[in-house]
Amino acid sequence: MAYLSKHRSWKRFMAIFFLPTVLSGFAPHSEEVFKSPARFSWSNLTPSELKNRFVGLSTKTNALGKAYFTLEGHKFMIVGGSIHYFRVPREYWKDRLLKLQACGFNTVTTYIPWNLHEQERGKFDFSEILDLEAYVLLAKTIGLWVILRPGPYICAEIDLGGLPSWLLRNPVADLRTTNKGFIEAVDKYFDHLIPKILPLQYRHGGPVIAVQVENEYGSFQKDKNYMSYLKKALLKRGIVELLLTSDDKDGIQIGSVNGALTTINMNSFTKDSFIKLHKMQNDKPIMIMEYWTGWYDSWGSKHIEKSAEEIRHTVYKFISYGLSFNMYMFHGGTNFGFINGGRYENHHISVVTSYDYDAVLSEAGDYTEKYFKLRKLFASGSARPLPPLPPLIPKAIYPSVNLSFYLPLFDILPYLNQPVMLHTPVTMENLPINNGSGQPFGLVLYETSICSGGSLFASVHDSAQVFLNDQSIGILDENHEVLQIPKIQGCQLLRILVENQGRINYSWRIQSEQKGLKEVVSIDGLLLTNFTIYSLDMKMSFFKRLRSASWRLAPKTYNGPAFYWGILNAGSSPTDTFLHLPNWHYGFVFINGRNLGRYWDIGPQRTLYLPGPWLHPEDNEVIVFEKIEKGFDIQTRKKPQLQECYETGSGLPDAAGDVDPC
């Protein structure tokens, strides 16, 4: 939205504008001022209307020393919202972007996840939900500007912060440094990615007005040359739009780089942060790259919320002071599949499947109280009426799904890809599969023969179920590496099923986020060897093969990992719904081979979002991989369901048999 000086309300705000007050503290506002925000214009600063492209997004300072953004020479305020294309079904991109525009925003921002675009080294995927170019061009068609955040590291609460897992293969490169191995990988990625971005830039007729250099490096900062290298890597490949960096108040100085605008991330309107940023670059306008509209949830923790009135009040302050901003998230979407990240607080903690984030739009794209408060605020300052509200996508309740057939885990081994035979176990990243790229996501099953019991030692990441033949004998995790194996008669098969629950996405710990079993596995100090290793990456090709399996009638109860099969009848016109698994414990749901993500009865998430476009008319195949104990049926809901804490006796226990409360 361009802001125009001809309006009286604008002049009133300019009188208390940011720059004169930043050194002496922010002046308080009266209630009367809050009732009359600055006016904006939609008329001439949209991708379709702004035909002449010479200057792009720039910064200027007027005669009074007040800095501001310009676009093609016109004063311009960035009113942005984050929507990640890879967390939203492609069929709903347009719906979410139209709702962003109808709320009063003029810019969409998105990260670009390297780990999804290059799961195998040298093999790139920009198709379907990963079609970055189509997403950006759609934003242009709708009338939105775009800010891209290509990383290579993005955080985003995604596995390994968006870095591909094959970077963790031996020998390990020092991630996010100018280490030769890491930089060579980044260069090859940029060689493929940046040519896709070039024609999307503003000065080439596209909607991309700015590109971010890496992400929050000030909180990492292990290499003083790293940010300069990445900035040059973008420039020499043809990026010509405004470059910027993004950090919180403690990292803006360290994470900045000459030649890029420093922007700030924050939870609330904090004048001290702005003063610090102003001292760094007093001839540049303030840009809040991330104003957090909520926060992400983690398994076993309480659902996090942020009040709508707090959001409205803070955004009004941004507008009052002429500050450009981006709301993270406007619409969070979903961590479909295995893409969720994690964090470490004495033990590994996984991000939940939903990335609702308590954002302005809900996980399913529904309007929230935050949305209506912001729309009202923006409408009161818009020189023209805002676009009409797009209709809501209907939700449906379908008949319960009876999972009548099952296959125990060890019965599906013939339908997996050929196992790997190794003298000693390796982590999933170091498996000699996928053209030397290892396994990025999912689970790994390790098997070897043992002829005596004793004290089993195994270094596990993140969680493992241990079996003698088909019988469960215990749990291992990163804090419990020893398990007593009972005396056995003759030789038996030791099986260790290890799950990657989401690589840590933040901090220096990303360097050692290999998943699976490390090399040393022993009983009473004697090294175990000769392992057969199965990759359970749960790709769609696996489920196609599984259709030819001889499924058995499921018993009323069954303990241990197994696959369960049923049919969801969605009628003639399928639409969105939420799957509710009230009697299931821990696992994943696959609809027509698509991985909806993890469910876990420790909460807070209790339902899984199922997008309507992923359903076929009438019958849809439902496969549940449950790790603990069989439930009953699957129900559907029109709204998501949360719980604040775990239910007694539920959840995946740790090695001591306990489930921690919230």
Side-chain angles (χ1 to χ4, degrees):
M1 287 181 282
Y3 48 103
L4 306 179
S5 60
K6 64 182 181 180
H7 293 284
R8 292 182 179 178
S9 58
W10 169 250
K11 291 181 179 179
R12 179 159 63 250
F13 282 110
M14 287 300 291
I16 56 168
F17 188 53
F18 180 73
L19 194 62
T21 63
V22 71
L23 300 180
S24 60
F26 281 77
H29 290 73
S30 68
E31 288 302 316
E32 287 75 21
V33 173
F34 275 107
K35 292 178 181 176
S36 180
R39 296 282 169 183
F40 305 106
S41 171
W42 283 88
S43 58
N44 66 338
L45 291 184
T46 64
S48 61
E49 295 294 331
L50 204 54
K51 302 289 186 182
N52 297 320
R53 306 289 186 93
F54 300 105
V55 182
L57 185 66
S58 305
T59 65
K60 287 188 177 180
T61 304
N62 67 12
L64 299 176
K66 298 164 186 172
Y68 54 90
F69 284 110
T70 64
L71 189 61
E72 208 58 46
H74 304 278
K75 286 184 177 180
F76 183 71
M77 177 182 285
I78 299 168
V79 180
S82 291
I83 306 175
H84 300 153
Y85 59 98
F86 52 92
R87 282 181 161 128
V88 180
R90 180 172 179 153
E91 296 87 344
Y92 285 156
W93 286 351
K94 185 174 183 180
D95 173 79
R96 308 312 195 244
L97 292 173
L98 285 172
K99 288 172 178 172
L100 178 78
Q101 185 189 58
C103 191
F105 291 77
N106 63 9
T107 303
V108 62
T109 70
T110 183
Y111 284 124
I112 301 175
W114 182 10
N115 61 339
L116 303 185
H117 287 299
E118 194 183 1
Q119 286 193 34
E120 294 182 23
R121 186 191 291 264
K123 185 177 180 180
F124 296 94
D125 183 4
F126 285 86
S127 64
E128 297 185 359
I129 200 172
L130 296 177
D131 194 339
L132 169 66
E133 295 163 283
Y135 181 72
V136 173
L137 290 173
L138 177 61
K140 174 187 175 181
T141 301
I142 287 171
L144 293 165
W145 300 108
V146 178
I147 296 176
L148 294 180
R149 311 174 77 184
Y153 166 85
I154 62 173
C155 186
E157 288 74 57
I158 195 173
D159 187 276
L160 205 62
L163 299 175
S165 61
W166 45 261
L167 290 170
L168 297 173
R169 289 173 64 85
N170 292 326
V172 175
D174 289 332
L175 306 183
R176 303 181 73 190
T177 70
T178 51
N179 171 277
K180 181 181 178 181
F182 182 72
I183 286 301
E184 286 180 348
V186 171
D187 281 336
K188 290 178 181 178
Y189 171 55
F190 276 4
D191 285 343
H192 195 91
L193 171 68
I194 303 304
K196 295 180 179 294
I197 295 175
L198 296 185
L200 304 174
Q201 295 183 100
Y202 173 87
R203 273 173 272 189
H204 294 183
V208 175
I209 57 175
V211 176
Q212 184 172 305
V213 183
E214 235 263 1
N215 189 59
E216 299 178 324
Y217 198 67
S219 62
F220 191 82
Q221 220 284 312
K222 297 293 181 180
D223 187 332
K224 64 181 181 180
N225 299 315
Y226 177 67
M227 290 293 286
S228 294
Y229 185 94
L230 290 182
K231 186 197 76 172
K232 293 175 183 176
L234 294 171
L235 292 175
K236 75 178 183 181
R237 288 172 173 82
I239 296 297
V240 295
E241 305 307 332
L242 181 73
L243 296 179
L244 50 86
T245 61
S246 173
D247 288 280
D248 65 18
K249 66 180 179 63
D250 296 323
I252 52 175
Q253 188 80 47
I254 301 172
S256 64
V257 61
N258 290 334
L261 178 75
T262 301
T263 71
I264 194 165
N265 303 337
M266 57 178 50
N267 183 52
S268 61
F269 190 92
T270 309
K271 64 180 181 181
D272 291 343
S273 299
F274 295 134
I275 292 171
K276 184 176 181 179
L277 182 56
H278 173 69
K279 289 179 178 178
M280 281 182 57
Q281 47 182 28
N282 58 17
D283 61 339
K284 297 291 190 294
I286 296 294
M287 168 72 182
I288 300 100
M289 190 60 202
E290 292 186 12
Y291 168 52
W292 301 317
T293 61
W295 203 248
Y296 65 92
D297 287 339
S298 301
W299 290 112
S301 301
K302 291 183 178 181
H303 174 60
I304 299 173
E305 294 180 333
K306 195 172 186 178
S307 81
E309 182 54 32
E310 179 185 351
I311 297 294
R312 187 207 67 81
H313 185 71
T314 301
V315 170
Y316 189 87
K317 285 187 176 181
F318 292 157
I319 296 172
S320 299
Y321 287 114
L323 308 182
S324 287
F325 60 93
N326 173 64
M327 303 191 74
Y328 190 99
M329 300 288 298
F330 174 80
H331 170 57
T334 308
N335 290 315
F336 294 116
F338 298 112
I339 72 171
N340 67 277
R343 69 180 194 275
Y344 189 84
E345 295 178 11
N346 299 318
H347 64 285
H348 183 277
I349 301 172
S350 297
V351 175
V352 303
T353 300
S354 170
Y355 201 65
D356 177 87
Y357 212 86
D358 197 36
V360 182
L361 274 188
S362 75
E363 179 184 11
D366 293 331
Y367 301 119
T368 67
E369 183 184 3
K370 292 177 183 177
Y371 186 96
F372 291 117
K373 282 183 177 292
L374 289 173
R375 177 175 160 86
K376 183 178 180 181
L377 174 64
F378 293 146
S380 69
S382 178
R384 293 190 175 190
L386 296 181
L389 284 176
L392 285 174
I393 293 170
K395 309 297 185 295
I397 295 178
Y398 298 115
S400 297
V401 179
N402 294 312
L403 298 167
S404 305
F405 298 90
Y406 89 123
L407 286 171
L409 170 65
F410 304 116
D411 287 7
I412 61 93
L413 300 186
Y415 301 95
L416 298 173
N417 291 327
Q418 286 295 312
V420 173
M421 318 293 285
L422 293 176
H423 183 68
T424 55
V426 296
T427 62
M428 63 168 56
E429 298 83 4
N430 285 296
L431 287 173
I433 60 176
N434 295 324
N435 299 312
S437 298
Q439 179 182 335
F441 306 116
L443 302 92
V444 180
L445 178 65
Y446 300 83
E447 294 185 345
T448 189
S449 179
I450 61 172
C451 301
S452 64
S455 182
L456 171 68
F457 170 84
S459 180
V460 169
H461 297 276
D462 294 303
S463 177
Q465 295 167 282
V466 184
F467 304 85
L468 271 181
N469 300 319
D470 296 353
Q471 298 299 311
S472 175
I473 59 172
I475 301 289
L476 293 173
D477 58 39
E478 57 195 338
N479 292 325
H480 303 88
E481 298 180 331
V482 177
L483 178 68
Q484 292 301 315
I485 297 180
K487 292 182 179 180
I488 58 176
Q489 298 294 323
C491 295
Q492 298 189 33
L493 194 60
L494 176 69
R495 288 165 155 165
I496 305 176
L497 177 67
V498 187
E499 180 189 351
N500 166 14
Q501 295 178 321
R503 295 181 184 86
I504 288 170
N505 52 263
Y506 189 78
S507 82
W508 184 249
R509 294 186 69 92
I510 63 174
Q511 307 290 343
S512 56
E513 273 298 276
Q514 294 90 350
K515 301 300 183 181
L517 283 183
K518 298 293 178 70
E519 291 182 356
V520 177
V521 180
S522 63
I523 294 180
D524 291 340
L526 297 177
L527 195 67
L528 300 184
T529 58
N530 299 322
F531 281 80
T532 301
I533 307 172
Y534 294 88
S535 169
L536 284 85
D537 53 11
M538 308 285 189
K539 293 181 179 178
M540 194 171 290
S541 57
F542 161 68
F543 290 101
K544 289 179 179 178
R545 294 192 297 271
L546 207 56
R547 287 172 188 154
S548 63
S550 298
W551 290 81
R552 292 188 256 158
L553 192 64
K556 288 185 178 180
T557 61
Y558 182 81
N559 293 321
F563 292 83
Y564 298 88
W565 184 94
I567 291 291
L568 185 154
N569 190 308
S572 58
S573 300
T575 189
D576 290 6
T577 192
F578 292 87
L579 300 185
H580 181 49
L581 297 93
N583 300 299
W584 300 81
H585 299 277
Y586 182 101
F588 300 85
V589 178
F590 302 85
I591 301 289
N592 300 320
R594 289 182 184 265
N595 189 344
L596 297 187
R598 179 184 288 107
Y599 64 88
W600 197 348
D601 62 2
I602 64 174
Q605 181 176 350
R606 294 288 287 164
T607 49
L608 288 175
Y609 173 53
L610 173 51
W614 292 1
L615 290 169
H616 306 317
E618 306 303 339
D619 290 348
N620 294 267
E621 180 185 66
V622 180
I623 293 180
V624 171
F625 176 55
E626 164 66 46
K627 293 180 65 179
I628 308 302
E629 182 181 4
K630 178 183 178 295
F632 300 109
D633 58 5
I634 297 178
Q635 302 164 11
T636 56
R637 299 280 189 270
K638 287 187 176 181
K639 295 182 179 180
Q641 183 175 335
L642 294 164
Q643 69 176 33
E644 290 305 317
C645 222
Y646 76 94
E647 296 172 2
T648 302
S650 66
L652 184 64
D654 61 19
D658 299 322
V659 179
D660 290 332
C662 299

